[in-house]
Amino acid sequence: MPRFSVRWMVAVVLILLVGGAFFFCEYLIYFPTILKCAWPKISHARGGEGIDGRPMDSTVRAMVLSDTHLLGAVGGHWFDKLRREWQMERAFQTALWLLRPEIVFILGDIFDEGKWSSPKHWEDDVRRFNRMFRHSSDTELVVLVGNHDIGFHYEMDWFKLQRFEKVFNASSTRIVTKKGVNFLLVNSVALHGDGCPICQSVEKELIKLSRDLNCSLQSSQSGGGVTDSCQDAQLYPPTAPIMLQHYPLFRVSDAGCTGLDAAPPEERHLLFREKYDVLSKEASQRLLQWFKPRLILSGHTHSGCEVLHDNKYPEVSVPSFSWRNRNNPSFILASVSPGSFALSKCFLPEESTVIGIYCSAGACMLLLFLAHCLWMKGLLQCLSLCLLGKHKSM
């Protein structure tokens, strides 16, 4: 075989190997992984019909993720930023295309440096977020506020909060209703309980929403009538809400958390700090008493956990969606009807798997290159011996 043909063949094989590994790891890998996920079915035993007799087709398909932590201009290395944003964009866009959720919730810490971003850097972060999490009009995107978006309690101010609310065109504390299901969004960063102006405003709004929901239940039970105290109340579907927030409700630690996405064993027994890692006991109890939620979904810890508060209020902590925080990011698929819900978890490709594929491709390339060099060296030696033999015969 001509020498140049061998070189071209080796070059083509190397290009196919490198290109194939890159294309699979950066694009195709998300498809088989997310195809394993499916929307959970609500069993009739748990109440397949709503309490108001709504049929099963009134189920809302909600996708829930948390802690995307888009890197900013100060603390993020350009390659780390490029890599993580590409991973999250491909995962999110693939999930939208394959799973078709009706509504997507992101439970805070959208940005990593929102608490100190300059106006220019904030605009750049928002532009990148809108590109990564673009969606069709068939899907509603709802974003909650986290401590990295507006700062911890001692860092937040009206400017940061209003800047966040303006970008996402909504109040940070409100109720989103879809197909008879009430989703209660809580600004948990402002539940410090020290009477700060933002804290007072948020608690006032929460008390009003609690009253509205209670009046809605009373109106349903009385056949549509309302008492004098509920004359000016806004009525919602008469169902207990799904409560979503960034901070988890109070728990001592993650010691009781298990599963693939739980905190590492050496971290599970570390005690949580109130008002920093979790809400305070007082704030947690107030929320449970005001709203009696049938499910709480939270973020912040970057790890998964399931907790039952007061033996009747289930809470699920949603892990981080960013590979910068976890080797195995995931998100929640929730099927929710007015009377019941079902959850399933969808894991994304593990970072270690991607690194392993790249390392395997690199090892194959090196072996192929060495084999080519050895083969070419042997060929040259053979030709040299042949030429030397002819020279001696002459």
Side-chain angles (χ1 to χ4, degrees):
M1 182 181 290
R3 190 172 167 186
F4 72 90
S5 298
V6 174
R7 286 183 174 178
W8 274 109
M9 185 174 69
V10 171
V12 168
V13 171
L14 288 175
I15 291 172
L16 288 175
L17 190 62
V18 173
F22 181 83
F23 187 64
F24 178 77
C25 289
E26 304 304 327
Y27 187 79
L28 286 181
I29 194 171
Y30 300 99
F31 286 87
T33 306
I34 295 177
L35 275 172
K36 297 177 183 177
C37 307
W39 292 102
K41 296 184 183 297
I42 297 177
S43 66
H44 288 278
R46 291 193 61 180
E49 292 188 351
I51 61 173
D52 55 355
R54 291 174 183 265
M56 283 293 290
D57 59 7
S58 67
T59 300
V60 179
R61 298 192 310 275
M63 175 177 164
V64 185
L65 51 121
S66 186
D67 293 86
T68 52
H69 284 273
L70 271 70
L71 294 174
V74 178
H77 187 273
W78 69 267
F79 181 76
D80 195 18
K81 184 187 299 184
L82 177 69
R83 175 74 182 145
R84 303 313 174 192
E85 290 183 7
W86 170 258
Q87 288 174 309
M88 287 191 287
E89 180 177 356
R90 290 311 332 141
F92 183 76
Q93 295 301 324
T94 304
L96 286 190
W97 191 71
L98 293 176
L99 299 172
R100 308 281 182 185
E102 297 171 83
I103 189 167
V104 177
F105 295 99
I106 306 182
L107 305 181
D109 277 4
I110 312 304
F111 308 107
D112 197 58
E113 299 177 6
K115 55 188 177 181
W116 60 55
S117 290
S118 67
K120 180 181 177 181
H121 292 153
W122 173 261
E123 289 179 6
D124 181 63
D125 292 346
V126 170
R127 177 187 57 79
R128 287 166 24 237
F129 172 85
N130 289 333
R131 184 199 72 233
M132 294 166 56
F133 294 94
R134 62 190 180 275
H135 54 92
S136 69
S137 58
D138 296 333
T139 300
E140 182 179 358
L141 179 64
V142 179
V143 173
L144 282 76
V145 69
N147 56 286
H148 275 266
D149 302 313
I150 61 173
F152 283 99
H153 172 264
Y154 60 88
E155 297 172 306
M156 71 174 180
D157 55 41
W158 284 112
F159 171 76
K160 295 172 189 174
L161 178 59
Q162 290 170 355
R163 179 173 69 172
F164 184 91
E165 292 180 336
K166 181 180 179 182
V167 163
F168 297 106
N169 195 31
S171 168
S172 61
T173 300
R174 67 191 192 277
I175 291 176
V176 173
T177 300
K178 203 169 188 70
K179 293 185 177 179
V181 177
N182 296 317
F183 295 97
L184 170 66
L185 315 183
V186 177
N187 179 355
S188 55
V189 184
L191 295 181
H192 216 65
D194 64 348
C196 76
I198 296 178
C199 301
Q200 289 181 343
S201 174
V202 168
E203 289 192 17
K204 182 179 178 181
E205 183 61 27
L206 287 171
I207 292 171
K208 177 184 179 301
L209 291 175
S210 173
R211 175 174 170 270
D212 290 344
L213 286 172
N214 287 329
C215 288
S216 301
L217 288 170
Q218 291 175 17
S219 174
S220 173
Q221 293 167 358
S222 64
V226 294
T227 61
D228 292 339
S229 60
C230 292
Q231 288 295 332
D232 60 343
Q234 180 177 346
L235 297 183
Y236 294 95
T239 61
I242 306 288
M243 190 164 75
L244 303 101
Q245 58 193 46
H246 181 64
Y247 281 117
L249 297 181
F250 175 80
R251 60 178 183 260
V252 175
S253 68
D254 272 351
C257 306
T258 58
L260 295 174
D261 55 357
E266 64 274 13
E267 297 179 9
R268 293 180 195 175
H269 293 276
L270 297 178
L271 299 181
F272 283 146
R273 295 163 290 179
E274 292 186 63
K275 305 179 182 181
Y276 189 86
D277 298 313
V278 294
L279 288 180
S280 67
K281 292 180 182 178
E282 294 76 11
S284 301
Q285 284 302 313
R286 283 202 304 271
L287 287 173
L288 294 177
Q289 291 169 5
W290 285 342
F291 296 103
K292 297 178 175 54
R294 49 185 168 135
L295 172 67
I296 303 107
L297 295 169
S298 60
H300 189 58
T301 64
H302 298 176
S303 299
C305 189
E306 296 183 14
V307 182
L308 189 63
H309 298 280
D310 297 343
N311 294 317
K312 55 182 174 180
Y313 302 117
E315 178 181 9
V316 176
S317 290
V318 182
S320 174
F321 191 69
S322 173
W323 280 261
R324 193 170 191 259
N325 299 323
R326 298 193 59 81
N327 178 52
N328 60 339
S330 61
F331 57 89
I332 296 289
L333 295 176
S335 298
V336 188
S337 73
S340 190
F341 65 86
L343 306 178
S344 67
K345 196 164 289 182
C346 185
F347 284 93
L348 297 172
E350 294 187 0
E351 183 88 318
S352 55
T353 300
V354 173
I355 293 173
I357 293 173
Y358 275 129
C359 289
S360 299
C364 290
M365 287 172 55
L366 181 61
L367 290 173
L368 184 61
F369 180 74
L370 290 174
H372 172 65
C373 291
L374 292 173
W375 186 81
M376 291 299 296
K377 183 178 179 181
L379 181 62
L380 289 173
Q381 288 177 346
C382 183
L383 289 174
S384 298
L385 289 173
C386 290
L387 291 173
L388 184 61
K390 287 182 180 180
H391 180 69
K392 287 183 177 180
S393 63
M394 292 175 62

